[in-house]
């Protein structure tokens, strides 16, 4: 696992004191949560759709970090009204999240992925991918920026959102939506104490990618370590692994007439 930055002693630390993780049962999200708690975060609110899954993650974290406060909240992540209510409950005026200020880090990590061929053949499946993976995280991001005045909000995009490809353009479109939202909100919050971080993992070995060829997939632990380091540093965009920054720069630079002849 790549080394994580240590917590500074005499200088202000970027390490979060309080965490809110939306989509907390995902492999990347749970590994990031563990790393933040290892680094010294004292509380974590785990939000997700499945109470059983949340309880499993929470139990593991409570065993590992008995001094930390670990709470769970199961809710419909697609409920527009519920999104605003949930964010107000953890970051609104008078809440512990608001009191944490710059020490609060929110990670928005939920999504789903269906094989491109399935989404092409079934508009309902395509709509579900776009809603769960693109629209819902974007609305959570908007609500968090509307409510928080300081701290860090990180949202999981993907390298798939950098350019539309025939093999995953529906999933990629949902991640492209997140990128435009994050970019706009970074512009909106520029100069404020609130940071918005767009995270772009490359292909990672998680349960969501279990049906794909495993060769070349990055270990989730290594990806999580790079995410935590990048989010703590407040970098606007974090590619994980970092090599994807160069890879996708090359992919984006390929002329359309050439790109359309490629099969990847």
């Amino acid at each position: 696992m790549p080394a994580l930055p240590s917590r500074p002693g005499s200088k202000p630390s970027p390490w979060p004191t309080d965490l809110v993780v939306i989509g907390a049962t995902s492999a990347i999200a749970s590994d990031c949560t563990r790393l933040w708690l290892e680094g010294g975060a004292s509380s974590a609110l785990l939000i997700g759709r499945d109470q059983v899954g949340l309880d499993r993650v929470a139990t593991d974290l409570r065993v590992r970090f008995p001094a930390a406060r670990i709470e769970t909240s199961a809710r419909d992540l697609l409920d527009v009204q519920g999104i605003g209510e949930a964010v107000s409950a953890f970051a609104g005026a008078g809440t512990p999240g608001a009191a944490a200020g710059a020490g609060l880090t929110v990670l928005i990590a939920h999504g789903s992925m269906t094989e491109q061929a399935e989404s092409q053949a079934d508009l309902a499946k395509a709509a579900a991918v776009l809603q769960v993976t693109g629209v819902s995280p974007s609305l959570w991001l908007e609500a968090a920026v509307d409510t928080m005045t300081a701290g860090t909000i990180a949202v999981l995009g993907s390298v798939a959102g950098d350019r539309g490809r025939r093999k995953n353009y529906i999933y990629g479109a949902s991640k492209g939506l997140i990128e435009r939202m994050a970019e706009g909100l970074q512009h909106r919050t520029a100069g404020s104490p609130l940071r918005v971080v767009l995270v772009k993992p490359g292909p990672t070995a998680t349960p969501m990618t279990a049906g794909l060829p495993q060769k070349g997939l990055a270990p989730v632990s290594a990806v999580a370590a790079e995410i935590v380091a990048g989010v703590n540093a407040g970098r606007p965009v974090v590619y994980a692994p970092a090599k994807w920054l160069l890879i996708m720069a090359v992919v984006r630079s390929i002329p359309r007439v050439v790109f359309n002849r490629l099969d990847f």
Side-chain angles (χ1 to χ4, degrees), residues 70-96:
I70 311 296
E71 300 178 347
T72 65
S73 175
R75 58 175 58 247
D76 179 0
L77 301 182
L78 305 183
D79 177 14
V80 175
Q81 181 176 345
I83 291 171
E85 293 172 351
V87 174
S88 294
F90 68 69
T95 65

Side-chain angles (χ1 to χ4, degrees), residues 114-245:
T114 302
E115 288 292 331
Q116 175 68 30
E118 293 183 42
S119 294
Q120 286 178 214
D122 187 335
L123 288 181
K125 290 184 178 180
V129 172
L130 293 169
Q131 183 72 25
V132 174
T133 309
V135 175
S136 175
S138 296
L139 294 178
W140 280 92
L141 181 59
E142 177 73 24
V145 170
D146 288 344
T147 306
M148 295 168 60
T149 58
T152 301
I153 310 165
V155 60
L156 290 193
S158 170
V159 297
D162 278 21
R163 190 163 190 176
R165 298 187 298 118
R166 68 182 68 175
K167 291 187 176 181
N168 69 348
Y169 62 81
I170 292 177
Y171 176 77
S174 67
K175 293 299 188 178
L177 169 59
I178 290 174
E179 177 161 5
R180 290 286 80 78
M181 285 289 296
E183 187 177 54
L185 291 171
Q186 287 170 348
H187 192 193
R188 171 180 161 187
T189 59
S192 80
L194 183 60
R195 301 180 299 182
V196 175
V197 178
L198 172 63
V199 178
K200 293 185 176 184
T204 305
T206 68
M208 192 164 68
T209 59
L212 301 178
Q214 297 299 293
K215 183 178 179 180
L217 298 185
V220 67
S221 58
V223 170
E226 293 201 38
I227 290 172
V228 166
V231 171
N232 286 355
R235 297 205 302 267
V237 180
V238 178
Y239 282 87
K243 67 180 182 180
W244 284 98
L245 173 61

